[in-house]
Amino acid sequence: MISVYLTPDKAQVVDGNLKDGELTVNSVNEFACSALDMFEDIDDVEYYYEDDENQENVLDEFFHDIKSFMDAKHDPINVVLPDYLFAFIDCFKFENQEDLEQQLCEESLRDLDEIYYSVPIITQPAPQEQWGTVYAIDKKIINAFVDAADRQNVKLMSIEAASLSYLRATGKFSKEEFMFQAFSNHATFLAYSSIAGMFKMDVPDLCLNSLSEMEEDEANSIINSYIVQFESTALKTFSYMNQNIPFTDLSDEEVISKFSAFNGRVAENPIFAPYIISYLEDDDHYRVMCSIGSLLQNKIVNSDLYPEDIDSYEQVTSGNLLPLGIQQNTHAFQFFLKLKKILFIFCGILIVGLGAVLGTSFFMANVTIPQSLNDEYNLAKENIEEIKRESDLIILKKKEDCSPIEAMAVILEKRPKELGFASVTIAMENGKKKKNWIKLKAASADPLVFQNYIKDLNSNPALANIGITKIDSNFKAGYKAAEINIGRSENGK
Amino acid sequence: MKKYIENFSAYAPEIKEHKDIIFLLALSVILILALIFASMKLTSSYIDRNEKLEKISQMESFIADWQKKSNILASEPMLPIKEEEVDEIQTNIIFNIQASKLALVSLKENEVSQKGGNNAREFEVTFNGDYQQVMQYLSDFYSNKALISITKLTLAHDKNKIKAVMSYKIYTK
């Protein structure tokens, strides 16, 4: 945020940030500027902005110079003008808006079409008693600023009076205070009371140029007469006003302390409100208060938050004199600027996100089945059926083979000498060799030999279902013939 | 956010003076749409990747299983032979009968076997000789590399000799 306090000789530029109710002052700069010269004769102002041939004027130059102090290209500017430029600064009782405007016209002797006005200070010290402080300025001055700013592509946030900006920078509203602003060709007395508000009295005779031309006694005499006049006005405006209120010097140069007419009524240099964070020494605070206060116009200061600094019946708001349309335009511009920044960041995030998603997607899609694996798999697929078929045949072979050598070994192992074999059949039975593995036709003179043989065979755990199915006698040969069945046990191969 | 929406509604008529904002808004919409499509593509790629990884895993597992089965098969002493090698095996069998000093009586192929399509050829051979020679022949019968099974064997006395009737199968691929 930029605030510029324009005086007849220079411009004071303050760069600050208002965040969480605290204003941080980043920098204070000054440069020579005579932009206000164009308002010396208010009737001439018309010429500057209505004549196409003379579009560029000293205000254009001023706004052009201001840009070099702006961090951001489109930072809106708060302009603070010295109080002498104002057509009217006064406080009075009013009932409603209509009443206020009627009194404003009567007291300022100006038509509402000619001026812009604001009512930044409203007090209600007693029920049914409402005071308003009106700051009114010639429309030509504001329009000249608006047009020049527009030409220079600078956005105006506000135009306020120095006295109001100063008051806000002190942070103390519950007080009575006299102020004196003196420039080369202008001088103004200002009085503030928290009960009624602010009023000004222009005293051109006390301008620096005039005072410098006078003898000291003469100067003191004139100053004294104006002080009496000012105090008399103040006393009429502010009931129960304290006596001998000290003067705060709001001039570029220290004027008050040079003249004995002020009778030592020099106020101590004010310091910033506690919510202004600055690198400036306390003694230098008063030099920039007229610029800084404008940056605080949107800060809420009420008696709930700051009970010692402001009375409950007083309300101090912005004294912005810019036309509503310009204010809205600036707010819209700021909003769109912020929106643009957000959208820019949002687009950046989206682009990064899109990149990340596409990158990951590419990485994911990059997985391929290696050709060697594919080839090996195809080969395996071709061979596996053959392997399975061959394996099945090997298993089948094991089932179908009747193992004749093993069978012969089994029957011969326990064969008694008295037993002979007529025939041996070793076979599968429909692929099963469990029940009738071996069929024997055996011969012996003694039938008991058969039984003993079977008994011996039974002792072999690999055999099962051993039995004699038939015994015949061959009387001629004198021996018995038996048919023996031998099976395999579950444990047998 | 609510304040922004309210402000946007209030200032919307002036947006035409801020063409860069219109551009950024349009760009945002395009980027959001692109992001949605990219996310869908990512989801699809993720599923595809997982399917591919799953397939690779299955292929590796299949290959490992195939190699294991191949190794087991390779260690087998006898393997099925090709159909055209059956005659060679038969020749060996007859030759071995003679080499074992046994007398070949008959050799015939099973009728069912002749029809084919069973992955095996079944034969019945009859021969006779000394008991020791018969047993020696039977012991050597499996020394062939061809996958052969003896399905039935009958040994009987026949004039001081042993007559053997043997049915066997030669398994073919």
Side-chain angles (χ1 to χ4, degrees), chain B residues 4 8 28 32 58 74 79 88 105 110 116 120 123 139 154 158:
Chain B
Y4 262 89
F8 191 80
S28 301
I32 287 169
Q58 282 176 354
L79 290 172
E88 187 185 333
V105 177
N110 188 307
F123 299 90
S139 295
T154 302
D158 181 29

Side-chain angles (χ1 to χ4, degrees), chain A residues 335-346:
Chain A
F335 169 76
F336 283 121
L337 205 65
K338 213 177 265 183
L339 183 64
K340 189 175 155 185
K341 198 174 171 184
I342 290 169
L343 282 174
F344 197 76
I345 293 168
F346 183 59

Side-chain angles (χ1 to χ4, degrees), chain A residues 196-253:
Chain A
M198 184 93 72
F199 78 87
K200 78 161 182 172
M201 190 173 89
D202 287 326
V203 283
D205 291 344
L206 301 187
C207 71
L208 298 177
N209 286 348
S210 298
L211 291 174
S212 63
E213 288 170 4
M214 295 179 205
E215 292 296 326
E216 193 174 340
D217 290 347
E218 187 191 357
N220 279 322
S221 169
I222 288 178
I223 290 170
N224 204 32
S225 68
Y226 274 114
I227 286 176
V228 169
Q229 191 185 336
F230 176 62
E231 283 190 317
S232 165
T233 310
L235 201 58
K236 283 180 195 167
T237 309
F238 307 146
S239 312
Y240 312 111
M241 191 187 74
N242 289 316
Q243 296 294 311
N244 297 324
I245 296 170
F247 283 85
T248 304
D249 200 343
L250 298 183
S251 311
D252 281 350
E253 298 173 24

Side-chain angles (χ1 to χ4, degrees), chain A residues 102-122:
Chain A
Q102 192 182 340
Q103 289 192 62
L104 170 60
C105 291
E106 285 171 3
E107 304 223 2
S108 66
L109 303 174
R110 303 292 290 269
D111 195 273
L112 280 181
D113 294 339
E114 299 170 357
I115 55 170
Y116 288 122
Y117 76 92
S118 66
V119 191
I121 304 170
I122 293 177

Side-chain angles (χ1 to χ4, degrees), chain A residues 328-329 331-333 335-344 346-348 350-351 353-355 357-358 360-370 372-381 383-384 386-391 393-394 396-398 400-405 408-409 412 421-428, chain B residues 3-5 7-9 11-15 17-18 20-21 24-25 27-29 31-32 34-36 38-42 45-46 48-49 52-53 55-56 58-60 62-63 65-67 69-70 73 76 78-80 118-120 131 135 138-139 142 147-157 169 171-173:
Chain A
Q328 281 179 340
N329 185 274
H331 285 140
F333 183 82
F335 169 76
F336 283 121
L337 205 65
K338 213 177 265 183
L339 183 64
K340 189 175 155 185
K341 198 174 171 184
I342 290 169
L343 282 174
F344 197 76
F346 183 59
C347 283
L350 284 177
I351 288 168
L354 187 63
V357 170
L358 285 175
T360 314
S361 182
F362 178 76
F363 170 74
M364 293 281 187
N366 212 20
V367 174
T368 51
I369 299 170
S372 57
L373 181 68
N374 216 15
D375 293 346
E376 200 174 3
Y377 176 72
N378 288 334
L379 181 68
K381 223 163 52 166
N383 287 352
I384 197 80
E386 192 179 335
I387 288 172
K388 190 174 180 300
R389 199 163 55 242
E390 290 187 21
S391 297
L393 287 174
I394 289 167
L396 184 66
K397 182 262 172 188
K398 282 177 183 170
E400 290 183 337
D401 191 79
C402 64
S403 311
I405 305 300
M408 289 305 292
L412 291 174
F421 295 146
S423 71
V424 177
T425 301
I426 305 157
M428 305 304 298
Chain B
K3 189 184 160 192
Y4 262 89
I5 292 167
N7 282 343
F8 191 80
S9 307
Y11 301 139
E14 292 178 43
I15 200 167
E17 290 172 20
H18 300 267
D20 45 356
I21 298 230
L24 283 171
L25 276 171
L27 183 65
S28 301
V29 172
L31 285 171
I32 287 169
L35 194 61
I36 290 168
S39 301
M40 286 164 68
K41 171 76 181 158
L42 176 64
S45 298
Y46 177 73
D48 191 43
R49 175 190 160 88
K52 278 183 184 167
L53 290 176
K55 193 174 179 188
I56 287 173
Q58 282 176 354
M59 286 167 84
E60 285 173 343
F62 184 82
I63 289 167
D65 185 46
W66 166 66
Q67 283 172 340
K69 283 179 177 169
S70 294
L73 205 61
E76 287 289 333
M78 296 186 290
L79 290 172
N118 291 328
N119 285 326
Y131 173 76
M135 292 313 290
L138 290 174
S139 295
Y142 294 109
L147 187 66
I148 299 177
S149 70
I150 298 172
T151 55
K152 188 175 181 183
L153 175 67
T154 302
L155 300 175
H157 285 284
K169 270 186 179 179
Y171 297 91
T172 57
K173 289 180 185 176

